[in-house]
Amino acid sequence: MADPTTDTVFDKIIRGEIPAQKVYEDDGVIAILDINPLAEGHCLVIPKEPAPTMGELSDDAAAALGRVLPRVCRAVRKVTGCPALNVLENDGSEAGQEIPHVHVHVIPRFPDRDPGSGLRKTWAPIAVDQEALAELGRKIARLL
Ligand code: AMP
């Protein structure tokens, strides 16, 4: 049976089994053009390590990913001329992740072509109790 953690479309692209429009590759990371882009120049930056979610990435793979992300952002801005980008990762299926291999979207935003683009339209903050929020922050900090 296929191993779901190493048999995603991105694992196949990394192994060269299926084609992709590769824009960058090093020992730890590839970056490709998204096949169904939300905007011209939409890239995916993908660590080669087969981790389904960000929290499962090793420190080395995370460092490799972090090193490449700003470079891809700079190149996409320069080539597309976009004034802004959304850089995001859907982390788990309930967050909209379809392919269980970590990948960070770099999405150029062109307000003149697509007014209202970007995530702000659907970004709906919840009501919070400030004390509960502070306690949550302390709990997260203790794990880091
Ligand atoms: P997500 O919902 O965050 O898992 O995003 C998956 C992304 O992968 C989508 O934007 C797809 O368009 C993209 N995608 C799926 N298959 C391919 C492929 N073969 N090459 C490039 N991008 C792909």
Side-chain angles (χ1 to χ4, degrees), residues 49-61:
E49 189 174 274
T53 62
M54 192 64 84
E56 293 164 276
L57 264 190
S58 69
D59 284 357
D60 280 352

Side-chain angles (χ1 to χ4, degrees), residues 1-8 12 15:
M1 206 175 90
D3 177 352
T5 63
T6 56
D7 220 40
T8 70
K12 290 176 182 162
R15 292 196 295 264

Side-chain angles (χ1 to χ4, degrees), residues 9-10 13 18-21 32-38 42 44 46 88-91 95-101 103 105:
V9 65
F10 297 148
I13 288 171
I18 58 174
Q21 184 70 47
I32 62 174
L33 290 184
D34 195 294
I35 205 167
N36 285 312
L38 298 185
H42 180 169
L44 302 171
I46 309 170
L88 65 97
E89 192 239 357
N90 297 320
D91 202 57
Q97 185 182 16
E98 288 183 349
I99 299 178
H101 182 127
H103 51 285
H105 295 259

